[in-house]
């Protein structure tokens, strides 16, 4: 059965802490000097957030290998001593940024999944949130999907570990005696989704990711529901999963 493309859907609401969603030098995060001293822990947290944004944007622009600590600091408006007070080096900063960003994405997906009426609708809602979030913050999409490969073995191990957390979305999936081993099946589905998203991000086409919702929904559901039911959910109207579309946001580089 042919799967047509949905019209582009508005991306989900962004949490401000998603790396790359704001310029590192965002004026609202300037630490003002004056008689009223800002607590050190607030200064450190603000600098960390700015470095997350600066790193995501710098790595997306230059690539992980070419991005220098000085470039990241410049983009974040943070000094090198402040950088090294927070991170051991570029590898450590990348891992912290990656972990934090994927945690934000997973929280958004979990919220969408839990608000849905049933398991198939929850899968569609979680996928819609994933695709919309990555499309809305292409700098983070580039870092998390493509540049993580260049960041070394530790980053790739962390990616594999975090991809394993997507298994939670299959805990309520219907079981059938004819299905292959559940762990291998879910791993193959998650790997296939990741591979498809990778292709679009690597080709600098993250804005097109929301259009993949029908086919990825079908691909995820068909082993559990069969072709007819999977196609019905894949072709559902955007509001049919019980999740209100979030307001449209401008793309953030």
């Amino acid at each position: 059965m042919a799967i047509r493309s949905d019209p582009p859907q508005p991306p989900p609401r962004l949490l401000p802490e998603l790396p790359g969603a704001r310029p590192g030098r965002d004026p609202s995060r300037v630490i003002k000097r004056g008689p009223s001293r800002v607590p050190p822990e607030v200064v450190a947290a603000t600098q960390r957030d700015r470095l997350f944004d600066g790193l995501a944007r710098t790595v997306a622009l230059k690539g992980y290998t070419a991005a220098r600590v000085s470039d990241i600091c410049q983009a974040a408006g943070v000094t090198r001593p402040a950088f090294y007070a927070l991170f051991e080096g570029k590898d450590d900063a990348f891992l912290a940024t990656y972990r934090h960003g994927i945690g934000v994405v997973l929280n958004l997906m979990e919220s969408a999944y839990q608000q849905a009426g049933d398991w198939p609708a929850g899968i569609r809602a979680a996928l819609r949130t994933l695709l919309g979030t990555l499309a809305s913050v292409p700098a983070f999409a580039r870092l998390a999907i493509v540049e993580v490969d260049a960041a070394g073995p530790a980053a790739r191990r962390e990616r594999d570990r975090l991809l394993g957390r997507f298994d939670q979305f299959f805990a309520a999936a219907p079981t059938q005696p004819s299905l292959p081993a559940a762990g291998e099946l879910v791993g193959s589905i998650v790997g296939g989704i990741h591979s498809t998203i990778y292709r679009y991000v690597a080709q600098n086409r993250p804005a097109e990711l929301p259009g993949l919702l029908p086919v990825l929904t079908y691909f995820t559901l068909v082993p559990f529901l069969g072709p007819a039911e999977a196609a019905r959910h894949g072709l559902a109207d955007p509001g049919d999963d019980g999740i209100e579309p979030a307001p449209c946001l401008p793309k953030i580089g």
Side-chain angles (χ1 to χ4, degrees):
M1 183 178 293
I3 299 295
R4 61 175 173 79
S5 296
D6 278 353
Q9 297 302 317
R13 189 185 306 276
L14 293 180
L15 295 182
E17 63 265 29
L18 189 64
R22 293 183 288 179
R25 290 175 172 268
D26 182 357
S28 68
R29 291 183 288 176
V30 171
I31 301 171
K32 298 179 180 179
R33 301 179 182 274
S36 178
R37 290 180 58 82
V38 179
E41 61 273 17
V42 174
V43 172
T46 301
Q47 290 175 330
R48 180 183 294 269
D49 285 347
R50 287 164 58 177
L51 285 165
F52 283 164
D53 287 317
L55 185 145
R57 290 182 172 227
T58 301
V59 167
L61 179 65
K62 293 176 174 285
Y64 179 78
T65 303
R68 301 172 300 177
V69 169
S70 58
D71 298 325
I72 296 165
C73 291
Q74 174 67 21
V78 172
T79 65
R80 286 176 66 93
F83 175 93
Y84 284 106
L86 293 167
F87 306 112
E88 295 179 3
K90 187 174 74 167
D91 290 356
D92 185 41
F94 183 94
L95 277 173
T97 305
Y98 177 76
R99 288 188 190 112
H100 180 77
I102 293 297
V104 171
V105 173
L106 279 167
N107 286 339
L108 287 168
M109 291 177 67
E110 288 167 6
S111 177
Y113 175 84
Q114 290 167 4
Q115 292 178 55
D118 54 28
W119 181 73
I123 288 294
R124 182 184 171 89
L127 283 171
R128 186 176 64 174
T129 298
L130 171 65
L131 297 170
T133 300
L134 294 177
S136 297
V137 191
F140 179 73
R142 187 82 190 184
L143 177 150
I145 304 299
V146 175
E147 293 301 327
V148 66
D149 281 335
R156 292 191 289 271
R157 285 194 298 270
E158 186 67 9
R159 176 198 56 202
D160 293 344
R161 185 186 73 82
L162 289 173
L163 282 176
R165 290 183 57 189
F166 285 80
D167 291 2
Q168 66 184 295
F169 297 108
F170 293 86
T175 57
Q176 299 179 21
S178 60
L179 288 177
E184 291 298 325
L185 175 60
V186 170
S188 297
I189 291 170
V190 172
I193 292 169
H194 182 270
S195 178
T196 302
I197 292 173
Y198 182 99
R199 185 171 72 252
Y200 276 71
V201 177
Q203 294 173 356
N204 295 317
R205 298 163 60 195
E208 299 176 37
L209 289 174
L212 295 172
L213 179 61
V215 71
L216 289 184
T217 300
Y218 178 84
F219 172 73
T220 303
L221 298 180
V222 70
F224 302 95
L225 304 181
E229 274 298 292
R232 185 174 72 83
H233 287 281
L235 296 173
D237 290 333
D240 284 354
D241 49 20
I243 308 299
E244 289 296 323
C248 188
L249 297 172
K251 293 177 187 175
I252 304 171

